[in-house]
Amino acid sequence: MLDHRRRYAGLRLLALLPLLLFLPAVIAFFADPDVAWGEYLGVFFHLSILFLVSRLEAAPWAKAAGYGWVVLDVLAGILMINEVEYDTAWAVRLGGHVLAGVWIVASSLVSRSWPVRVVGVITGVWLAGYSFVGTLLAEEFLRPAGIMILVWFALLAIFHRDPGHPVAPATPVPA
């Protein structure tokens, strides 16, 4: 049985996993925004964020926003894969980006690393803010937020450290 107190992966790995899964999708969307396989990677990228949301320090309401982002963006990806009307899937995605922005800003503000704080706040505000003006601005204006989130993940992997909670030792399984 899994022990919820035990850390099975370090924060560095949990920050690098979504970076590695999202990088090809960002490249694909810059090269050809209509590429279908990018949505599959996007779903796996968002699922990998579940681990990061659970580990980064943040208020419970901010973590809830992070989990909500994952739910809505996975839903949007599955809607796109199943060829549901683009405008519907896009609106769901933008709603998720508001929650993403809340979680990114809130978790960044409590980081001990100033690069994580600065890039996180800019990324979160850009991502969430675009959702409110997306009908006025082309989707290309959202692309820098995709690059910024990659930078934020990299900064988390480099600078951010788990809070001072000791890692619970693995408990032996009785025979």
Side-chain angles (χ1 to χ4, degrees):
M1 190 54 85
L2 293 177
D3 181 356
H4 73 279
R5 295 167 298 170
R6 182 166 179 228
R7 303 235 165 113
Y8 292 92
L11 186 64
R12 178 168 287 154
L13 175 65
L14 295 178
L16 289 175
L17 182 61
L19 185 146
L20 294 174
L21 289 171
F22 195 47
L23 183 61
V26 168
I27 293 169
F29 290 131
F30 269 97
D32 179 10
D34 297 325
V35 66
W37 61 265
E39 289 298 337
Y40 291 91
L41 280 177
V43 168
F44 291 116
F45 154 69
H46 286 93
L47 290 174
S48 74
I49 294 205
L50 288 171
F51 303 109
L52 194 56
V53 171
S54 72
R55 284 287 286 283
L56 280 183
E57 235 179 296
W61 54 265
K63 286 186 179 234
Y67 292 127
W69 166 36
V70 172
V71 168
L72 289 177
D73 240 320
V74 166
L75 172 61
I78 297 301
L79 290 172
M80 296 284 235
I81 289 168
N82 287 285
E83 300 176 3
V84 170
E85 184 182 337
Y86 178 83
D87 289 344
T88 301
W90 186 245
V92 170
R93 176 159 286 152
L94 292 180
H97 286 177
V98 172
L99 297 173
V102 168
W103 171 68
I104 291 168
V105 168
S107 63
S108 295
L109 286 174
V110 296
S111 174
R112 289 176 208 79
S113 167
W114 70 265
V116 170
R117 284 193 308 268
V118 170
V119 171
V121 168
I122 293 169
T123 302
V125 169
W126 194 311
L127 192 58
Y130 178 84
S131 298
F132 294 101
V133 296
T135 57
L136 305 172
L137 298 174
E139 285 181 37
E140 289 77 22
F141 286 95
L142 182 59
R143 289 181 180 172
I147 294 168
M148 294 294 293
I149 202 164
L150 291 171
V151 171
W152 186 66
F153 290 140
L155 291 172
L156 285 172
I158 294 166
F159 293 113
H160 197 79
R161 299 292 171 252
D162 282 327
H165 305 310
V167 175
T171 45
V173 177

